[in-house]
Amino acid sequence: MPVPMPTVAQVSELPSLMERVVPPEWQDLNGHVNVRHYLELCDAASWPRLAEFGLDAQAFLERREGLLDLEHHLWYLAELYVGDSVSRSNSTAALRA
């Protein structure tokens, strides 16, 4: 079953977890951002999101525990280029046990 995509207006209403300008070293031979950096952007925004739940780097170090991702799903809606401004927002729709 397809997952409905949020509109640009809906995403714009969410708080930004991270903002970055695409650096030159992210450019691939096709002239746009190399695919591996899209996941890097998601990772960079995960720490502020986890901190909202009291899970920062210090908490993981003290507990000697961590988290892992089982899956990643990236939807490429448009190419990113060097100099583009990028922000990352997050919304949790539901949690399942």
Side-chain angles (χ1 to χ4, degrees):
M1 178 158 119
V3 176
M5 292 291 294
T7 65
V8 172
Q10 290 170 322
V11 172
S12 296
E13 292 176 9
L14 297 171
S16 177
L17 296 171
M18 176 279 308
E19 294 182 18
R20 185 171 290 173
V21 175
V22 175
E25 58 269 18
W26 284 15
Q27 182 173 307
D28 65 13
L29 295 175
N30 295 314
H32 45 70
V33 169
N34 186 284
V35 66
R36 70 178 179 231
H37 298 294
Y38 288 89
L39 190 54
E40 185 176 340
L41 291 167
C42 292
D43 183 62
S46 68
W47 287 105
R49 182 66 172 161
L50 289 171
E52 292 175 7
F53 298 100
L55 299 171
D56 59 10
Q58 188 63 34
F60 289 118
L61 291 171
E62 289 173 1
R63 296 178 188 159
R64 297 182 51 88
E65 297 175 340
L67 297 175
L68 60 98
D69 296 334
L70 296 177
E71 286 186 47
H72 293 280
H73 298 269
L74 301 174
W75 291 335
Y76 301 96
L77 303 179
E79 295 291 349
L80 290 175
Y81 298 94
V82 171
D84 284 351
S85 294
V86 180
S87 66
R88 172 84 190 329
S89 302
N90 193 333
S91 175
T92 303
L95 298 174
R96 294 183 284 186

